[in-house]
Amino acid sequence: MATVYVSISSDIVHEGILNIIEEASKLGDVFVGVLTDEVVASYKRTPLLDTSTRKAVYANLKNVVKVVEQDTLSYAKVLRELKPDYVVHGDDWREGVQSRVREEVIEILSEWGGELVEIPYTRGISATQLEKDLLVFLGSPEQRRGSLRRLLTLKKPIRIIEASNGLSGLIVENASFTDPETGQVRTYDGMWVSSLCDSTFKGKPDIELVDFTSRVRTIEEIMEVTTKPIILDGDTGGKTEWFSHNVRTLERLGVSAVIIEDKTGLKQNSLFGTEVKQTQDDPHAFAAKIAAGKRAQRTRDFMIFARIESLIAGQSMEDALSRADIYLEEGGADGIMIHSKEKDGSEILEFMRLFREKWPEVPIILVPTSYNQFTEEELADAGANIIIHANHLTRAAYVAMRDVAQKILECHRSLEADDMILPIKEVLTLIPKE
């Protein structure tokens, strides 16, 4: 009996997939290759169902003889192991980024005389559209809250960027880039709700002046139009008693994590470094605050990360590492953010090297604003799990708005600013009506 290989990434079993499996079964025994969670998460949203569940679903479909895991985007490894007589795929991959994968499949099949069979694409069926129809579910507090913790097990690095209102949230939600060489699609995995940016958009200084209720309104505004996980910049966390209550509020909203920094007194932005007085909290008192927050949690999904400011405040590497130990061992923190304003990044790399000797699996978060010469992949190779681009959309928006306002003043009219802004028709259709 001939063997037939069908590779599937979707966890939504729709008419198009069933049709391909049906047609494949006419050629021989059908082997379904299920792309693993790690592979799917590398180029699109995390699957709703994990690998083992998706394997079980496809294993129980009519005409499927066996299910195997495909742990790379390339078919090469699994094809050379199975040596199928046929590979069956829809004919929608002949053009665009998937055409390279198609060419590779044809080349590999030629090694033993295998054949690619393409089934006409089932019109009117789109997994992407079906996924859009699931946005209500994807954006629910329960689904969103646990998505970051799941991503930590599937992907490194996790790519996060700042969002400070509904519009920037939509930009983050929909931004994508297709690598012309590999065809791989890159997107943002989640959003950072920054205290600095939230304050800036409200025209207020970044000194914890914007209260928690106002921060919650910003989060709700973003959540209403997006589905990706949210990490909140929690500043110092405030008083321990307040922090415990705020954790429950954030958890109930569907926020995935909060990061609090080990400083006391009137907030001074970390990027000022030692130019201003940066006072760190007693490490054991700060660990107690984290522990109180962890005890307040109602679910396992929510995470609390400790942000260590030792390298900002001019303290030693030993102090930073000691604090990390205390926050993890005494406080039960879910991970560490290590911060630095130094442009060469050497102390960040040194911290991660030493930290990983004792804590190989604990998540590390970096905000490489001042040392952005490193790629996300380079920082991940050095030990980082989450990379946050913390304020770039706010900074871009300010420049654009300032320049347009200046241009109109210069020219006594707005005509000269037309090429600097969106056409009004695009503005009217920018926000989806449904």
Side-chain angles (χ1 to χ4, degrees):
M1 189 73 167
T3 57
V4 188
Y5 185 69
V6 179
S7 177
I8 300 175
S9 63
S10 178
D11 52 5
I12 302 172
V13 182
H14 54 76
E15 182 183 347
I17 289 176
L18 294 175
N19 181 54
I20 286 177
I21 293 174
E22 174 69 25
E23 292 300 315
S25 69
K26 297 175 183 177
L27 299 171
D29 290 338
V30 178
F31 285 58
V32 168
V34 171
L35 269 66
T36 62
D37 294 344
E38 292 82 357
V39 174
V40 176
S42 73
Y43 74 97
K44 60 187 289 189
R45 68 158 177 83
T46 308
L48 297 175
L49 306 177
D50 61 26
T51 304
S52 61
T53 303
R54 286 184 290 123
K55 285 173 65 179
V57 168
Y58 286 107
N60 283 281
L61 290 181
K62 177 185 175 184
N63 296 321
V64 174
V65 173
K66 186 176 181 179
V67 172
V68 298
E69 289 187 12
Q70 183 174 324
D71 58 10
T72 64
L73 282 172
S74 168
Y75 284 47
K77 178 183 174 183
V78 69
L79 289 185
R80 289 194 170 105
E81 288 177 354
L82 293 176
K83 289 186 168 53
D85 300 290
Y86 301 96
V87 168
V88 173
H89 197 283
D91 64 358
D92 55 324
W93 68 337
R94 293 180 179 179
E95 296 179 357
V97 296
Q98 289 193 81
S99 61
R100 294 184 183 85
V101 179
R102 178 179 182 271
E103 291 170 4
E104 180 191 52
V105 168
I106 293 171
E107 182 179 342
I108 293 172
L109 286 171
S110 69
E111 295 174 10
W112 56 85
E115 181 183 348
L116 172 64
V117 176
E118 293 172 315
I119 306 299
Y121 179 70
T122 305
R123 305 301 165 188
I125 298 294
S126 168
T128 301
Q129 184 57 50
L130 290 171
E131 288 172 7
K132 287 182 179 179
D133 294 339
L134 288 172
L135 286 182
V136 173
F137 171 71
L138 294 173
S140 67
E142 293 74 21
Q143 175 69 16
R144 191 197 297 250
R145 184 176 54 237
S147 57
L148 182 65
R149 186 179 287 276
R150 187 175 176 202
L151 271 173
L152 280 167
T153 68
L154 301 177
K155 187 175 183 181
K156 185 179 178 183
I158 295 170
R159 183 184 299 112
I160 305 290
I161 192 168
E162 160 249 330
S164 300
N165 48 44
L167 180 59
S168 56
L170 279 170
I171 290 171
V172 176
E173 183 85 1
N174 296 302
S176 67
F177 171 76
T178 302
D179 190 311
E181 296 297 322
T182 65
Q184 188 166 2
V185 179
R186 289 200 289 273
T187 62
Y188 291 104
D189 299 303
M191 288 162 268
W192 166 245
V193 179
S194 159
S195 173
L196 166 63
C197 298
D198 201 5
S199 300
T200 299
F201 267 108
K202 290 176 172 62
K204 298 183 182 295
D206 183 31
I207 54 173
E208 294 189 81
L209 184 60
V210 177
D211 64 23
F212 184 72
T213 301
S214 181
R215 302 295 308 281
V216 166
R217 283 199 296 270
T218 299
I219 294 168
E220 290 176 328
E221 179 183 333
I222 294 169
M223 283 187 157
E224 189 173 343
V225 295
T226 65
T227 65
K228 294 185 177 182
I230 288 176
I231 303 175
L232 177 69
D233 174 5
D235 289 323
T236 64
K239 294 183 178 180
T240 299
E241 295 81 5
W242 297 352
F243 182 58
S244 296
H245 285 284
N246 292 345
V247 162
R248 289 183 182 172
T249 299
L250 295 172
E251 187 179 26
R252 187 167 59 250
L253 286 172
V255 172
S256 293
V258 64
I259 301 175
I260 58 172
E261 59 191 78
D262 59 355
K263 290 195 296 193
T264 60
L266 181 66
K267 178 183 176 181
Q268 301 285 353
N269 191 280
S270 298
L271 295 180
F272 284 125
T274 54
E275 295 175 21
V276 297
K277 187 177 181 181
Q278 305 274 6
T279 305
Q280 281 184 283
D281 199 353
D282 173 82
H284 300 285
F286 187 70
K289 182 186 294 186
I290 296 169
K294 294 303 295 179
R295 288 194 299 271
Q297 283 183 223
R298 295 296 191 226
T299 72
R300 180 183 174 277
D301 293 335
F302 189 78
M303 291 181 286
I304 301 173
F305 291 91
R307 172 170 155 179
I308 298 173
E309 295 286 287
S310 299
L311 305 181
I312 292 290
Q315 301 300 321
S316 66
M317 183 67 67
E318 289 71 22
D319 181 78
L321 292 165
S322 172
R323 285 175 176 269
D325 290 343
I326 292 170
Y327 302 158
L328 292 168
E329 292 169 350
E330 294 183 17
D334 293 288
I336 296 294
M337 174 193 278
I338 185 65
H339 214 17
S340 170
K341 68 177 182 63
E342 299 302 326
K343 294 184 180 299
D344 65 4
S346 58
E347 60 184 9
I348 287 290
L349 298 178
E350 178 69 1
F351 175 89
M352 288 196 292
R353 183 184 68 80
L354 295 170
F355 180 85
R356 285 290 180 230
E357 291 177 1
K358 182 174 182 179
W359 303 98
E361 303 298 329
V362 171
I364 295 179
I365 299 177
L366 299 183
V367 183
T369 306
S370 58
Y371 50 95
N372 59 7
Q373 69 272 26
F374 297 103
T375 66
E376 296 159 342
E377 292 76 16
E378 288 171 335
L379 295 173
D381 289 343
N385 298 88
I386 300 176
I387 308 297
I388 298 178
H389 304 284
N391 44 48
H392 295 73
L393 299 189
T394 295
R395 290 157 64 189
Y398 176 81
V399 170
M401 291 188 290
R402 180 200 64 194
D403 290 353
V404 168
Q406 185 68 29
K407 181 62 69 174
I408 293 171
L409 285 176
E410 282 179 29
C411 303
H412 305 264
R413 62 184 185 182
S414 63
L415 175 66
E416 286 75 10
D418 277 356
D419 62 353
M420 304 167 66
I421 58 179
L422 278 175
I424 188 63
K425 286 186 178 179
E426 288 192 33
V427 175
L428 296 173
T429 58
L430 188 64
I431 308 302
K433 292 182 174 61
E434 296 181 358

